[in-house]
Amino acid sequence: MLAIIHALVGGLIGEEFNSILLIAIASFALHFLFDMFPHWDANWDKKRFETTGEAILSKFAKAWFAIDMMLAIIIIASLYNVFDSKKLVLGAFMGILPDLISLGYKTKLKKSKHFVGFLKFHSKIQRHTNLKKSLISQSIIIGLLIILFLIVYFV
């Protein structure tokens, strides 16, 4: 799932709740729920990772991840500039945190059973589809989230 979606969902959570703990937990947990929607991710050997714990990413997959995260961070910064809400930023950040945690694979964390277990869980819950269907479904989700933001702030 695009990080932008996770950031927008977390941002909405941040604006709707007053409890910082609830915002953090709900935004983090909803990341996994949204990953269950069929979506496309850049090519990597998911089956190999789930069986061996070894992740092999193509250059394209690495670039896709970097661009996706940069766009999400730009969205978070833009939302903060428009709405001046630290709770929104907290929710948005917690929404993308599970994907950011995966960067730990490039460190000594990949030797931790708990860390690899988290990554395997995150991988197994994801439902994938082809790029065309994914663009349609994720565009619809982004559109709905933008409408929700407009309702929250202007209605």
Side-chain angles (χ1 to χ4, degrees):
M1 186 67 60
L2 291 171
I4 294 166
I5 291 173
H6 296 305
L8 289 173
V9 168
L12 280 169
I13 298 293
E15 280 305 297
E16 289 302 306
F17 296 100
N18 289 321
S19 167
I20 291 173
L21 182 61
L22 180 61
I23 292 167
I25 292 170
S27 298
F28 190 85
L30 281 173
H31 176 103
F32 301 105
L33 180 67
F34 272 78
D35 270 353
M36 291 178 185
F37 286 97
H39 62 283
W40 176 87
D41 278 326
N43 292 335
W44 66 290
D45 193 344
K46 180 180 175 181
K47 297 254 189 251
R48 181 178 182 166
F49 175 73
E50 289 176 1
T51 56
T52 68
E54 182 182 359
I56 298 175
L57 298 170
S58 67
K59 287 181 182 179
F60 178 76
K62 291 175 186 175
W64 178 267
F65 180 83
I67 291 168
D68 188 31
M69 281 298 144
M70 284 189 283
L71 289 174
I73 290 167
I74 289 168
I75 292 291
I76 293 169
S78 299
L79 289 172
Y80 180 73
N81 285 334
V82 171
F83 301 111
D84 192 31
S85 171
K86 292 176 185 171
K87 292 186 307 178
L88 181 149
V89 172
L90 171 66
F93 175 76
M94 292 304 291
I96 64 171
L97 184 58
D99 287 336
L100 292 173
I101 288 171
S102 68
L103 293 173
Y105 185 80
K106 293 294 184 184
T107 69
K108 292 179 181 181
L109 279 174
K110 72 178 175 184
K111 295 178 182 176
S112 164
K113 285 184 181 181
H114 297 296
F115 180 74
V116 172
F118 170 81
L119 293 180
K120 285 183 179 181
F121 164 76
H122 194 188
S123 177
K124 284 183 181 181
I125 63 158
Q126 300 204 29
R127 301 292 172 254
H128 294 270
T129 188
N130 65 45
L131 181 59
K132 183 179 177 182
K133 288 180 185 175
S134 179
L135 287 175
I136 292 168
S137 66
Q138 291 190 76
S139 294
I140 291 169
I141 292 169
I142 290 171
L144 291 172
L145 290 169
I146 290 170
I147 290 169
L148 284 172
F149 259 104
L150 294 174
I151 290 170
V152 165
Y153 280 100
F154 301 112
V155 175

